[in-house]
Amino acid sequence: QKEVEQNSGPLSVPEGAIASLNCTYSDRVSQSFFWYRQYSGKSPELIMSIYSNGDKEDGRFTAQLNKASQYVSLLIRDSQPSDSATYLCAVNPVDDKIIFGKGTRLHILP
Amino acid sequence: EPEVTQTPSHQVTQMGQEVILRCVPISNHLYFYWYRQILGQKVEFLVSFYNNEISEKSEIFDDQVSVERPDGSNFTLKIRSTKLEDSAMYFCASLSTTQKDLYGYTFGSGTRLTVV
């Protein structure tokens, strides 16, 4: 069974600080990795995708991938109250549907 | 920016009744998906659809559930006899044929199904 694991939180981070969200996955052949943001009662919104080992930066967001450790992370710099949401890690094994983790609730403290 | 649209946004139905959830995918997309999310739980795969047929379905997708693309644009999920445990948010997603394995889905805004 392919699994994506995340700490459910809540993770509380002061406004302006760096929020660090982590995810591990079980299927070693997975090729594509995604971070979605989900506000309460809303649909998931894709914010980052990463395919190669290392870091990928987009504005205040940095995704990090380590395939050897089967580990994906998301850093949010200069956290804002509007970043308060549930962050879903998602993994796409080769030629398969996307599998989601349960999500980490992030709370930015004003 | 193109978007996936879903209707209705909220559907309340009595147990045992049939419901049809509708989705209009992005126009040039060829891969379609239904996911559901029970309150407080993870987003779960239900079914994928390509070339007018189901390409994969999960064990949740039992014989009471069907998907169709009735008119070449809409993509529907039908639950023939709803159960209390079908209460969830249902999300439609679509993907273009290009580099299918590399792009994350674009989700619709979802339909909240409440079975009473």
Side-chain angles (χ1 to χ4, degrees):
Chain A
Q1 177 104 11
K2 299 169 186 174
E3 298 283 347
V4 178
E5 298 290 341
Q6 294 181 258
N7 188 320
S8 60
L11 175 65
S12 295
V13 173
E15 183 176 355
I18 296 175
S20 177
L21 305 161
N22 305 313
C23 167
T24 59
Y25 59 94
S26 64
D27 191 344
R28 184 171 290 278
V29 301
S30 297
Q31 297 290 311
S32 313
F33 308 88
F34 309 96
W35 284 99
Y36 284 82
R37 178 176 61 201
Q38 186 177 32
Y39 294 112
S40 180
K42 304 295 185 182
S43 62
E45 175 194 5
L46 180 66
I47 54 172
M48 287 290 288
S49 55
I50 187 167
Y51 318 112
S52 305
N53 280 327
D55 295 0
K56 179 182 178 182
E57 186 174 320
D58 184 0
R60 296 187 296 111
F61 299 101
T62 298
Q64 299 175 315
L65 173 61
N66 183 328
K67 289 186 179 181
S69 301
Q70 295 174 237
Y71 178 90
V72 194
S73 65
L74 179 71
L75 301 178
I76 306 174
R77 289 181 298 282
D78 188 23
S79 298
Q80 304 295 309
S82 59
D83 294 327
S84 296
T86 296
Y87 288 79
L88 311 179
C89 176
V91 174
N92 189 352
V94 175
D95 206 29
D96 204 347
K97 73 279 185 185
I98 286 178
I99 300 168
F100 287 84
K102 199 171 177 180
T104 298
R105 283 183 296 137
L106 175 65
H107 181 48
I108 305 302
L109 304 170
Chain B
E1 185 169 327
E3 60 181 30
V4 177
T5 57
Q6 289 187 246
T7 55
S9 57
H10 191 188
Q11 174 86 49
V12 181
T13 189
Q14 290 204 322
M15 190 169 55
Q17 295 297 303
E18 176 182 285
V19 294
I20 298 176
L21 310 182
R22 293 183 169 79
C23 169
V24 179
I26 295 172
S27 63
N28 63 343
H29 285 191
L30 295 179
Y31 294 89
F32 313 115
Y33 306 85
W34 282 102
Y35 280 74
R36 80 171 185 190
Q37 186 176 34
I38 295 170
L39 186 63
Q41 299 190 23
K42 67 169 67 176
V43 177
E44 302 175 287
F45 170 77
L46 289 178
V47 63
S48 56
F49 193 84
Y50 171 70
N51 202 24
N52 291 321
E53 61 182 30
I54 291 173
S55 48
E56 186 176 355
K57 59 183 180 181
S58 75
E59 63 274 9
I60 304 168
F61 194 88
D62 63 22
D63 57 4
Q64 292 297 310
V65 188
S66 61
V67 291
E68 284 185 352
R69 200 152 183 238
D71 58 10
S73 60
N74 290 290
F75 178 49
T76 62
L77 178 76
K78 181 192 291 185
I79 306 175
R80 274 181 278 279
S81 178
T82 50
K83 304 182 287 291
L84 294 176
E85 54 265 37
D86 293 326
S87 295
M89 282 288 287
Y90 288 80
F91 298 111
C92 171
S94 70
L95 196 65
S96 72
T97 188
T98 308
Q99 296 179 298
K100 167 179 172 288
D101 300 326
L102 296 183
Y103 286 95
Y105 307 151
T106 300
F107 281 95
S109 56
T111 293
R112 179 174 299 282
L113 176 65
T114 302
V115 182
V116 296

